[in-house]
Amino acid sequence: ETELEGSVDTVDQSTDSLTLLGLSGLTVKIESRTALSGKGNLRKLSDLRYGDHLKIHGRLRGSSMLLAKEIERSDPSPHIQLDGYITNAADPWLVMLGSTIDTSSILESGFRGRDEAIGRNAFFAGLVPGQKISLRGNVSGTNILWTTATRKH
C-alpha cells in the first residue's frame, strides 16, 4: 500500500484521475469504489479543485499510476508526504511513484534510518530498487522543498 499527502494540481474528469503538485509523473486514478470523504462534503471527483489538500491511500499500478482506495480532503496545508517504493536512486535523485525527486534540500540530519539520523551518504549507499521509504516536505509555489527522507526497512 502507498500513502500520499499533497495538494491537487490537475483533475481530469474524462479519465477519472488527478495529479498532485510536484509529482507530475504520478497519476492518481479514482474508481467507483474509491472512498471519498473530508472537508466540504467531498463526494465525487468533480468536487476537487486545484490546491485542495488530500490524504490518499492506494495501490501502485505500474510505476506511475496509483489506484486510490481512499481519498480524504483536509484543511489547506503546504505539507507533502510520500510513502512508497523507490525504483531508482543516485544521490541526490530518487525515483519513486513515477516522479524524479531531488533531495538536495534535505539537510544531513534529515536523512534517517529506522530510528536515527544516518546522513546522506549512508542513506543512499544501501538503497535498492523496491525499498520502501518515506519523504516529507513542503510545497513552495510549484516546487517541493523536501525536509526528511526515511528508510522504512
Side-chain angles (χ1 to χ4, degrees), residues 8-94:
V8 173
D9 188 14
T10 64
V11 176
D12 186 342
Q13 293 188 52
S14 68
T15 61
D16 294 323
S17 64
L18 61 87
T19 61
L20 299 174
L21 285 169
L23 298 173
S24 60
L26 177 69
T27 299
V28 179
K29 178 81 170 154
I30 289 89
E31 294 186 315
S32 59
R33 63 181 173 256
T34 301
L36 300 170
S37 65
K39 293 282 186 179
N41 200 26
L42 177 61
R43 296 289 175 244
K44 56 191 181 295
L45 181 63
S46 61
D47 293 336
L48 292 172
R49 300 286 178 260
Y50 174 86
D52 281 354
H53 195 74
L54 306 177
K55 292 180 182 176
I56 303 169
H57 296 271
R59 294 205 181 276
L60 202 55
R61 296 288 181 248
S63 62
S64 61
M65 180 177 287
L66 184 75
L67 182 58
K69 291 171 63 179
E70 179 182 353
I71 296 177
E72 179 185 353
R73 181 167 51 192
S74 60
D75 288 328
S77 171
H79 182 72
I80 186 165
Q81 177 177 333
L82 308 177
D83 290 325
Y85 300 91
I86 61 166
T87 53
N88 202 350
D91 188 5
W93 304 99
L94 294 170

Side-chain angles (χ1 to χ4, degrees), residues 76-138:
S77 171
H79 182 72
I80 186 165
Q81 177 177 333
L82 308 177
D83 290 325
Y85 300 91
I86 61 166
T87 53
N88 202 350
D91 188 5
W93 304 99
L94 294 170
V95 179
M96 64 186 292
L97 306 176
S99 298
T100 301
I101 297 165
D102 182 357
T103 65
S104 297
S105 62
I106 301 175
L107 301 175
E108 279 291 310
S109 60
F111 288 96
R112 304 189 57 80
R114 281 192 213 154
D115 302 315
E116 62 188 9
I118 60 173
R120 176 180 298 278
N121 290 339
F123 182 85
F124 277 95
L127 282 182
V128 294
Q131 188 166 359
K132 189 168 187 177
I133 64 169
S134 177
L135 290 170
R136 287 180 172 72
N138 293 295

